[in-house]
Amino acid sequence: MEIRIDEGLRAYIDPLTDDEREALERSLLAEGCRDALVLWGDLLVDGHNRHALCMKHGIPFETRQNTSFKSMEDVHLWMIENHLGRRSVSDFQRGVLALRKKEILQARTASAPAPDDPPWDEDSGDPPPLPATPVSQALSRQALARAARISSNTLGQIEKIQKAAAPELVRAVKDGAISINAAAAVATLPPERQAAAVAGGRKELQQAAREVRQAKAPPPREAVPDIPIENIADLPAEVARLRELLTRLTDERDQLKKKVMHLTVALAEARSGAGGGDD
């Protein structure tokens, strides 16, 4: 059977780096193709790199059919879950895959027919049933992040990068030239400023991220100036005024304590009288 290659499917997952491809080629030449390629009919789903290298070097390989697929969405979801299970996937790649999964599941939820509402008797006096939640718990950021083995905060930052980052900044994140946290900050800048920061290298990217964070930071609190005691014109009069104020506040506190005590006693007696008539 001739295997069909779909270029969109092959590009759905980030390609291997040069080092990863060379390592895979050495492994295939030394040990052969140990894992079967996954097909859906004649369409290659998993093993594009192995298939290309095996064809290049004439290395035999096996295939197996996945009969659970019903649509290309099923194929994409399977590829996402399969890739998330690999240890070599970076946190940024994990976040991107989790967001793709979210888009697929949201589209399915939106297009799914609404379940029939159970019968409701208007004369029963009970409120009508609430409508079903349109988005399942599996679509929450926490659930998606947990499945991708990254933090919820990291997934939120990757989502910001996906929406606002210039292509140059995205490549810098993938290459490890800037952290996800810093890239999310730089992504709030105009695209031309992002591109200039990337062109300036790692230090320029860090400086751009620092500037964004400083701009968002709350202004420092104004310090209360210390008044030297020798600048107080009449120190004895000021001390007397403060003592008088302290005495008045103490008296008010004591009066409030007495009122609370009387109210507590009255409440206890009222409760005792209300509960004693049936014994």
Side-chain angles (χ1 to χ4, degrees):
M1 179 183 65
E2 185 174 350
I3 295 178
R4 179 164 57 94
I5 306 295
D6 182 278
E7 291 303 324
L9 204 59
R10 174 157 58 180
Y12 193 71
I13 302 295
D14 285 343
L16 298 177
T17 64
D18 292 340
D19 290 343
E20 290 171 338
R21 187 177 180 84
E22 290 175 4
L24 176 61
E25 189 169 18
R26 289 194 300 269
S27 174
L28 290 171
L29 289 171
E31 304 175 13
C33 187
R34 296 178 298 177
D35 299 322
L37 311 184
V38 178
L39 303 178
W40 181 33
D42 64 343
L43 178 65
L44 180 60
V45 173
D46 182 60
H48 290 87
N49 294 294
R50 282 175 286 143
H51 177 262
L53 291 171
C54 286
M55 296 298 292
K56 174 184 176 181
H57 295 290
I59 300 173
F61 57 85
E62 296 181 355
T63 63
R64 68 177 179 87
Q65 289 285 339
N66 190 321
T67 57
S68 65
F69 299 142
K70 299 295 187 296
S71 66
M72 189 58 72
E73 286 183 344
D74 290 341
V75 173
H76 287 158
L77 285 173
W78 184 90
M79 292 177 70
I80 289 171
E81 296 296 343
N82 185 54
H83 208 62
L84 286 175
R86 297 174 179 172
R87 290 177 295 178
S88 60
V89 182
S90 70
D91 284 352
F92 183 76
Q93 289 176 311
R94 291 183 180 279
V96 171
L97 292 173
L99 294 173
R100 288 180 183 174
K101 177 181 177 180
K102 176 183 177 181
E103 291 178 358
I104 295 173
L105 295 180
Q106 280 182 330
R108 283 189 169 182
T109 302
S111 61
D116 294 335
D117 291 332
W120 171 55
D121 183 3
E122 295 184 2
D123 297 328
S124 65
D126 296 327
L130 295 174
T133 304
V135 180
S136 69
Q137 292 297 325
L139 284 175
S140 69
R141 179 181 293 178
Q142 290 79 5
L144 289 167
R146 186 164 52 250
R149 290 186 287 174
I150 57 178
S151 71
S152 176
N153 185 51
T154 297
L155 182 59
Q157 292 171 341
I158 294 172
E159 191 168 17
K160 290 180 182 178
I161 295 170
Q162 288 285 94
K163 291 179 178 179
E168 296 88 347
L169 182 59
V170 174
R171 286 196 296 271
V173 180
K174 290 181 178 180
D175 294 341
I178 185 173
S179 68
I180 294 172
N181 183 28
V186 176
T188 62
L189 297 172
E192 60 274 11
R193 177 70 178 92
Q194 298 180 37
V198 174
R202 187 184 297 270
K203 287 187 178 180
E204 182 66 22
L205 283 168
Q206 292 174 346
Q207 178 61 29
R210 191 177 302 113
E211 291 174 0
V212 172
R213 294 181 183 128
Q214 289 174 350
K216 292 182 178 180
R221 297 178 58 184
E222 294 184 3
V224 179
D226 293 331
I227 302 176
I229 194 165
E230 59 268 16
N231 291 351
I232 298 178
D234 192 350
L235 182 58
E238 180 67 12
V239 172
R241 185 187 69 82
L242 292 175
R243 285 177 175 171
E244 182 181 353
L245 176 62
L246 177 60
T247 301
R248 186 168 68 251
L249 292 175
T250 302
D251 290 340
E252 291 178 359
R253 182 202 62 187
D254 293 341
Q255 291 297 325
L256 288 173
K257 282 185 176 181
K258 290 180 180 179
K259 288 183 179 180
V260 171
M261 182 183 65
H262 291 322
L263 289 172
T264 303
V265 172
L267 179 60
E269 292 176 349
R271 287 178 175 172
S272 176
D278 294 333
D279 291 340

